[in-house]
Amino acid sequence: MACLAATLGLVIFSGIMDLSAANKDPCDLYALVGQNLTLPFVFEGLGVHELRWTHNTKIIFRGQQGRVSHGKAEDISKTGSLFLKNLQFSSAGIYQADVVNPNRTLAKTWNGSLCVMDKVAKPQLTYICVKTSVVILNCNVANPQGLTFSWTVFMDDKTLSETKQTLSISLAQQKVVRSFTCSVANKVSKEKSDTVRPTCESPPPPPLFCLKSQTVLAVLAGVAGLILLLLVIIITLCCRNRRIKTQMRRRDQKGLRMPFLNKLEPNISPVYETMHQTEDAPTVSQTSLLKDCCENVTQPEAQTENKPAQLSADAEGQKPSPVPKPRTKGLKTLNI
């Protein structure tokens, strides 16, 4: 039993030591990039002693009684401290100082781990309203790993205990809407955001259309093409309609002209049509006139006086022939 208890005690002690070693800060010193730093080593009365500085086991300074074999004399103080100028990330590491007696024994030693860090960026404080009664604050910063966050409430200038990157506040429990700031810090620098006063209102109605710019351009191009097609169709129909109207107008004008020409032709009697079957054949009246004319030329003058009586008798025995009406179209006149 005693052996078992001792074993358990050793295991517990080893676990505690491992936990403490894990929680131990790996860096003894912190410095900002570009900063100057003096390593805290003091040895009074260097005199004949030899001073040696190493960086990650590499000798960076070695001197004795004013004689320097490595490094520069101005990088060492009178007490043996090392001046580091314009630190870079490559300057990080383990530094060690050794003071050696003239008999080559070690008089004093010091070592420390240096970590070089960059300056933190200024955070941006944003918030989101949830159901108009709860606001979620977010402290946005680049590379948040290893940073410490803190929150400050203005009006009472109180620093909250919250150390997370986000903060949730109930507006219903606050009589007055307060302003907030967040701060981020590392081992060598600290930055604070601008002051933000959250105001939560009713959310606006969602937009009717949520389309990408490419989709909008495609839709506009399609609409433009459709409008152009409609214009072409409308112009084509208008031209066709105009052509049809022009043809109908010409047909109506021709139909109105034909009755007018028919009115110009006189009404010819059937008797006249039967009497004039051929245009070149002489008529009965024309034949009788020619005969009378010939008789008047051959007979003596004595018979001329009896002719009117004879003609009148013949005229009384014959009925007068109807007077033909002249044709207006295709009628040839007879020259006697």
Side-chain angles (χ1 to χ4, degrees):
M1 293 295 293
C3 183
L4 180 59
T7 304
L8 289 176
L10 181 60
V11 171
I12 294 173
F13 179 76
S14 299
I16 294 174
M17 290 297 293
D18 293 339
L19 183 60
S20 61
N23 293 332
K24 184 181 178 180
D25 197 339
C27 299
D28 300 315
L29 298 172
Y30 289 91
L32 187 64
V33 175
Q35 182 182 356
N36 298 331
L37 180 66
T38 301
L39 298 181
F41 175 76
V42 177
F43 185 82
E44 297 293 344
L46 281 175
V48 296
H49 296 83
E50 179 185 354
L51 177 63
R52 183 172 62 239
W53 277 96
T54 61
H55 177 221
N56 295 330
T57 69
K58 179 182 179 181
I59 297 176
I60 59 175
F61 179 83
R62 188 172 186 177
Q64 185 179 11
Q65 293 182 347
R67 296 188 303 269
V68 178
S69 59
H70 287 85
K72 299 178 181 179
E74 59 268 20
D75 293 339
I76 301 299
S77 68
K78 294 181 180 180
T79 59
S81 299
L82 178 64
F83 300 138
L84 299 177
K85 300 176 182 178
N86 191 21
L87 291 173
Q88 302 299 321
F89 290 108
S90 60
S91 303
I94 299 175
Y95 289 85
Q96 183 172 338
D98 295 322
V99 178
V100 182
N101 293 318
N103 59 0
R104 311 310 299 171
T105 59
L106 187 63
K108 187 177 181 180
T109 185
W110 177 91
N111 62 55
S113 177
L114 174 64
C115 292
V116 180
M117 306 181 70
D118 204 354
K119 183 180 179 180
V120 295
K122 183 178 180 179
Q124 300 293 328
L125 182 57
T126 59
Y127 67 92
I128 301 175
C129 295
V130 180
K131 297 181 180 179
T132 68
S133 60
V134 177
V135 59
I136 298 177
L137 301 168
N138 189 14
C139 192
N140 300 302
V141 65
N143 300 323
Q145 293 81 8
L147 300 180
T148 303
F149 293 88
S150 60
W151 296 88
T152 302
V153 182
F154 285 88
M155 189 176 180
D156 50 9
D157 198 16
K158 181 176 64 175
T159 301
L160 302 178
S161 60
E162 185 65 48
T163 57
K164 294 183 179 180
Q165 190 174 357
T166 58
L167 178 66
S168 180
I169 298 296
S170 176
L171 298 178
Q173 297 178 359
Q174 297 184 7
K175 297 180 180 179
V176 180
V177 178
R178 293 175 172 82
S179 301
F180 298 85
T181 60
C182 71
S183 301
V184 293
N186 56 12
K187 299 292 184 179
V188 294
S189 62
K190 183 177 182 180
E191 286 291 337
K192 183 172 65 173
S193 70
D194 295 332
T195 304
V196 173
R197 184 178 182 180
T199 55
C200 296
E201 299 177 355
S202 299
L208 296 178
F209 300 100
C210 297
L211 300 177
K212 296 182 179 180
S213 58
Q214 294 84 354
T215 306
V216 174
L217 292 176
V219 172
L220 292 178
V223 172
L226 182 60
I227 292 175
L228 181 60
L229 179 61
L230 290 176
L231 288 177
V232 171
I233 293 174
I234 292 173
I235 292 173
T236 304
L237 292 177
C238 290
C239 293
R240 183 178 179 183
N241 190 20
R242 184 176 180 181
R243 191 186 308 110
I244 294 173
K245 288 184 177 180
T246 303
Q247 294 176 357
M248 292 180 65
R249 190 182 299 111
R250 289 178 181 177
R251 191 180 303 166
D252 294 342
Q253 290 177 356
K254 186 176 180 180
L256 291 174
R257 194 183 301 117
M258 292 300 295
F260 177 75
L261 295 177
N262 293 333
K263 289 181 180 179
L264 293 178
E265 295 182 0
N267 295 326
I268 301 174
S269 62
V271 177
Y272 180 80
E273 293 293 337
T274 56
M275 292 175 62
H276 297 79
Q277 294 179 358
T278 59
E279 295 180 355
D280 296 335
T283 59
V284 177
S285 58
Q286 292 175 353
T287 305
S288 60
L289 289 175
L290 289 174
K291 185 178 179 180
D292 294 339
C293 182
C294 293
E295 290 178 355
N296 290 332
V297 172
T298 56
Q299 288 180 357
E301 295 178 356
Q303 296 177 356
T304 305
E305 295 178 354
N306 298 327
K307 184 179 179 179
Q310 186 180 356
L311 290 174
S312 60
D314 294 335
E316 289 178 358
Q318 295 179 358
K319 294 181 179 180
S321 61
V323 179
K325 295 182 180 180
R327 290 187 176 180
T328 59
K329 183 178 180 181
L331 181 62
K332 294 183 179 180
T333 58
L334 180 63
N335 295 323
I336 300 174

